[in-house]
Amino acid sequence: MHGYADNKDDHLRRLRRIEGQVRGIARMIEDDKYCIDVLTQVSAATRALQNVALGLLEEHMSGCVVDAAKAGDAEAAEKVQEASAAIARLVRS
């Protein structure tokens, strides 16, 4: 089971909301809306996606990584490395 299983419905609800935001942004461009207004909406959608990512990362750390650390074998090191790589990707984005 994945670390996000307990909050799966919440994550899906948030992602559907973000999907609607992105469709709205596409409509704004189709309708030739003002650039700054479009950029404001892009920024909001980006922040919303980042919040989903941070939530997933927290669940991964508190679930998968902690469980692997308790096992204390090579899997623990692998999970920590995965988490570190995920954090690095989030920081760069």
Side-chain angles (χ1 to χ4, degrees), residues 11-45:
H11 291 307
L12 289 171
R13 194 173 9 267
R14 291 173 104 186
L15 288 168
R16 286 186 195 105
R17 192 174 315 127
I18 294 165
E19 182 181 18
Q21 283 180 288
V22 172
R23 281 194 304 270
I25 293 167
R27 279 192 303 274
M28 290 177 78
I29 291 173
E30 287 172 353
D31 295 342
D32 296 320
K33 298 295 181 182
Y34 185 58
C35 302
I36 296 301
D37 294 338
V38 175
L39 289 170
T40 298
Q41 293 306 310
V42 168
S43 178

Side-chain angles (χ1 to χ4, degrees), residues 3-90:
Y4 59 80
D6 291 341
N7 296 315
K8 183 177 179 177
D9 290 337
D10 291 336
H11 291 307
L12 289 171
R13 194 173 9 267
R14 291 173 104 186
L15 288 168
R16 286 186 195 105
R17 192 174 315 127
I18 294 165
E19 182 181 18
Q21 283 180 288
V22 172
R23 281 194 304 270
I25 293 167
R27 279 192 303 274
M28 290 177 78
I29 291 173
E30 287 172 353
D31 295 342
D32 296 320
K33 298 295 181 182
Y34 185 58
C35 302
I36 296 301
D37 294 338
V38 175
L39 289 170
T40 298
Q41 293 306 310
V42 168
S43 178
T46 299
R47 279 192 312 275
L49 273 174
Q50 288 171 337
N51 286 333
V52 170
L54 289 173
L56 289 168
L57 180 61
E58 180 192 347
E59 290 166 343
H60 178 68
M61 298 286 288
S62 64
C64 301
V65 174
V66 168
D67 291 345
K70 288 177 184 175
D73 57 8
E75 182 183 354
E78 178 184 337
K79 293 296 180 186
V80 169
Q81 180 56 39
E82 283 178 351
S84 294
I87 292 167
R89 285 191 301 274
L90 286 172

